């Protein structure tokens, strides 16, 4: 390469406009996928994200009883997200930004139908995946009684919040997941660090993530600690609304707003 030619800058950051275009392109590809592919990817994501509860519970049983046990055990919450994001599985809360950015660029009936199809298929598939994981954990009994008790223990804070509290705690969770998706194009080999930072904040903040929360809720339903209707109405619905508000209404609109005037 001659001295007169510009040299690439390997550590240059990706611009906000380039990040937007990358995520928009990913969203368009996801919305064009066959429904069967979305379904099985969503089920896989539901099963994989359930390892967040499993890992957190296993750390609880492995660490000594001390003031720093819970902050350290909270790192287990990040495990499922690492598996899902790096495995390119369909997680509903990621789609609150990836599918919405194409909609903002091309708002019409067809785009609305595509996002409705994507969200509904992925969300139901995620719920089926976490239900399978919870049933396998509780009914098949791969865990020891001590481990199962720990899984229930890390799930019980779900019951401490009322409907409005869960909704409000769902907003930051949706925001942080959307922020994680936005940051990943600039991660360049540090993807795990970005995922861990965003999801660890959700864990230690006690924020409500609807898919992880569904694993916790199904475990408590199978243990007889909450009725299925109460789990769906009081725990999952407000978390779902909060995640959508935080990921779509709050973060996605802000992300689009900062590049709107730069788009072709």
């Amino acid at each position: 390469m001659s001295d007169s030619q510009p040299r690439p800058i390997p550590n240059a950051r990706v611009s906000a406009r380039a990040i937007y275009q990358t995520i928009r392109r990913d969203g368009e590809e996801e919305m064009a996928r066959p429904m069967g592919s979305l379904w099985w990817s969503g089920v896989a994501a539901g099963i994989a994200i359930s390892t967040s509860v499993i890992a957190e519970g296993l750390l609880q049983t492995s660490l000594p009883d001390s003031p720093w046990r819970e902050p350290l055990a909270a790192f287990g919450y990040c495990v499922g997200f690492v598996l899902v994001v790096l495995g390119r599985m369909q997680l509903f809360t990621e789609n609150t930004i990836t599918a919405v950015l194409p909609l903002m660029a091309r708002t019409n009936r067809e785009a609305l139908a595509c996002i409705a199809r994507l969200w509904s298929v992925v969300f139901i598939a995620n719920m089926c995946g976490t239900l399978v994981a919870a049933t396998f954990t509780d009914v098949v009994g791969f865990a020891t009684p001590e481990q199962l008790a720990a899984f229930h223990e890390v799930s019980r804070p779900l019951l401490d919040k009322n409907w409005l509290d869960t909704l409000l705690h769902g907003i930051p969770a949706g925001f942080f997941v959307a922020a994680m998706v936005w940051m990943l194009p600039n991660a360049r080999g540090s993807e795990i660090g970005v995922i861990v930072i965003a999801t660890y904040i959700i864990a230690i903040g006690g924020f409500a993530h609807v898919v992880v929360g569904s694993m916790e809720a199904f475990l408590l339903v199978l243990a007889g600690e909450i009725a299925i209707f109460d789990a769906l109405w009081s725990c999952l619905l407000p978390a779902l609304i909060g995640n959508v508000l935080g990921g779509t209404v709050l973060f996605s609109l802000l992300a689009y707003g900062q590049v709107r005037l730069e788009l072709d």
Side-chain angles (χ1 to χ4, degrees):
M1 180 182 293
S2 67
D3 293 338
S4 61
Q5 292 178 313
R7 295 178 181 273
I9 304 174
N11 294 320
R13 291 190 305 167
V14 179
S15 68
R17 181 175 180 274
I19 292 174
Y20 169 84
Q21 296 291 14
T22 298
I23 296 175
R24 172 186 169 182
R25 187 163 53 249
D26 287 346
E28 290 171 344
E29 290 175 357
E30 296 299 342
M31 287 192 287
R33 294 180 67 186
M35 188 175 295
S37 299
L38 292 174
W39 171 262
W40 289 113
S41 183
V43 171
I47 294 172
I49 204 72
S50 300
T51 59
S52 288
V53 179
I54 302 301
E56 191 173 358
L58 292 176
L59 285 173
Q60 285 272 31
T61 61
S62 302
L63 294 170
D65 189 7
S66 67
W68 44 265
R69 183 175 73 168
E70 288 193 11
L72 285 181
F75 278 107
Y77 190 91
C78 309
V79 172
F81 288 91
V82 172
L83 294 177
V84 169
V85 175
L86 296 187
R88 300 287 294 178
M89 303 173 198
Q90 287 288 339
L91 184 65
F92 174 78
T93 46
E94 282 190 89
N95 284 318
T96 58
I97 180 171
T98 54
V100 170
L101 293 188
L103 177 65
M104 292 177 179
R106 181 172 56 91
T107 305
N108 54 40
R109 185 177 298 177
E110 181 184 358
L112 288 170
C114 286
I115 195 172
R117 167 181 170 272
L118 176 67
W119 275 11
S120 58
V121 170
V122 170
F123 180 74
I124 295 172
N126 285 172
M127 295 299 103
C128 289
T130 55
L131 179 59
V132 168
T135 303
F136 183 81
T137 302
D138 190 272
V139 177
V140 176
F142 80 90
T144 66
E146 181 186 23
Q147 291 171 340
L148 188 58
F151 302 155
H152 293 154
E153 181 182 348
V154 300
S155 301
R156 285 194 187 99
L158 194 73
L159 306 178
D160 296 337
K161 302 181 183 72
N162 60 35
W163 203 95
L164 181 59
D165 286 339
T166 302
L167 186 152
L168 294 176
H169 280 80
I171 294 174
F175 184 91
F176 285 125
V177 171
M180 174 192 72
V181 174
W182 185 264
M183 291 187 293
L184 282 173
N186 258 322
R188 289 198 185 93
S190 302
E191 290 86 354
I192 291 179
V194 169
I195 298 167
V196 169
I197 289 170
T199 55
Y200 183 69
I201 294 173
I202 297 174
I204 63 173
F207 300 130
H209 186 274
V210 65
V211 187
V212 178
S214 68
M215 172 62 173
E216 297 170 337
F218 292 145
L219 282 173
L220 295 175
V221 167
L222 291 170
E225 297 189 26
I226 185 174
I228 183 64
F229 176 80
D230 291 333
L232 296 175
W233 173 257
S234 302
C235 301
L236 300 188
L237 179 60
L240 170 64
I241 296 172
N243 288 171
V244 171
L245 290 175
T248 297
V249 178
L250 189 55
F251 190 90
S252 296
L253 286 177
L254 291 174
Y256 179 72
Q258 69 171 313
V259 300
R260 179 176 59 88
L261 299 179
E262 304 172 48
L263 300 176
D264 297 330

